[in-house]
């Protein structure tokens, strides 16, 4: 965070910990009084712990894809539209440069599904203002994104309780 130009950080891989790691950075940056933005490219209906926690911090802007949309139950086109709308909010946040840390949670899926062209994402990341650290999380980060990253970490699954039929645990998985 003290890097003068800011970093492009990517957390990818099939193991648990990508979103958690990004949220850990948010915790750290907020502790130093730095403004943080987080856009989650997933269904906004879930009351995740991070979303509930975020409401307590004025310096933390927290957006979930699907907020303000009646897209649930919709087809792929509705999903694509929600993803594009979330991306346009995220791109504006990045360009504004008001948040020192901008988390783009699960953005890799938006690229993989072709909702937003990869080149457009890379260009927005590359042209962000100096001093802004961007964090992209999600499985299957495309090679060009990894190549552009200053810091890339792959979470590799060794074991996960889901394999034995366990469900998502409140406070651990959401
Ligand atoms: P987290 O949000 O817990 O940091 P993540 O961001 O690394 O997880 P995602 O790929 O976004 O993982 O998956 C989201 C959900 O899938 C989480 O509830 C997580 O616990 C679960 N999950 C993560 N890794 C695995 C795995 N290897 N096998 C099964 N489920 C997993
Ligand atoms: Mg995640």
């Amino acid at each position: 965070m003290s890097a003068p130009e800011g970093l492009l950080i990517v957390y990818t891989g099939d193991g648990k910990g990508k979103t958690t790691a990004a949220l850990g950075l948010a915790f750290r940056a907020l502790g130093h009084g730095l403004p943080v933005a987080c856009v989650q490219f997933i269904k906004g209906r879930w009351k995740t712990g991070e979303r509930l926690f975020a409401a307590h911090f004025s310096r933390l802007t927290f957006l979930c894809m699907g907020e303000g949309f009646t897209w649930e139950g919709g087809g792929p086109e509705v999903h694509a539209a929600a993803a594009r709308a979330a991306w346009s909010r995220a791109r504006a946040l990045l360009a504004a440069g008001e948040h020192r840390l901008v988390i783009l949670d699960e953005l890799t899926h938006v690229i993989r599904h072709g909702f937003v062209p990869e080149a457009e994402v890379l260009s927005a990341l590359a042209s962000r203002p100096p001093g802004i650290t961007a964090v992209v999380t999600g499985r299957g980060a495309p090679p060009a994104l990894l190549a552009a990253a200053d810091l890339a970490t792959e979470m590799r699954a060794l074991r996960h309780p889901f394999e034995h039929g366990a469900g998502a645990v409140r406070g651990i998985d959401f």
Side-chain angles (χ1 to χ4, degrees), residues 30-45:
L30 287 166
H32 288 292
L34 302 170
V36 174
C38 177
V39 180
Q40 292 199 313
F41 292 89
I42 50 165
K43 295 188 183 186
R45 191 168 57 89

Side-chain angles (χ1 to χ4, degrees), residues 78-159:
V78 186
H79 203 131
R84 282 194 289 268
W87 165 245
S88 91
R89 297 284 303 274
R91 193 178 47 188
L93 277 169
L94 258 183
E98 285 164 17
H99 300 87
R100 289 280 292 280
L101 181 70
V102 178
I103 297 169
L104 306 163
D105 189 40
E106 316 294 354
L107 182 62
T108 58
H109 302 284
V110 173
I111 301 169
R112 284 168 65 194
H113 283 95
F115 294 151
V116 175
E118 182 180 334
E120 186 180 322
V121 172
L122 292 173
S123 150
L125 288 167
S127 59
R128 73 190 189 281
I132 305 302
T133 288
V135 185
V136 177
T137 84
R139 297 175 185 218
L145 177 64
L146 289 174
D150 300 294
L151 189 166
T153 298
E154 181 176 16
M155 274 64 174
R156 184 162 62 93
L158 298 178
R159 190 173 303 143

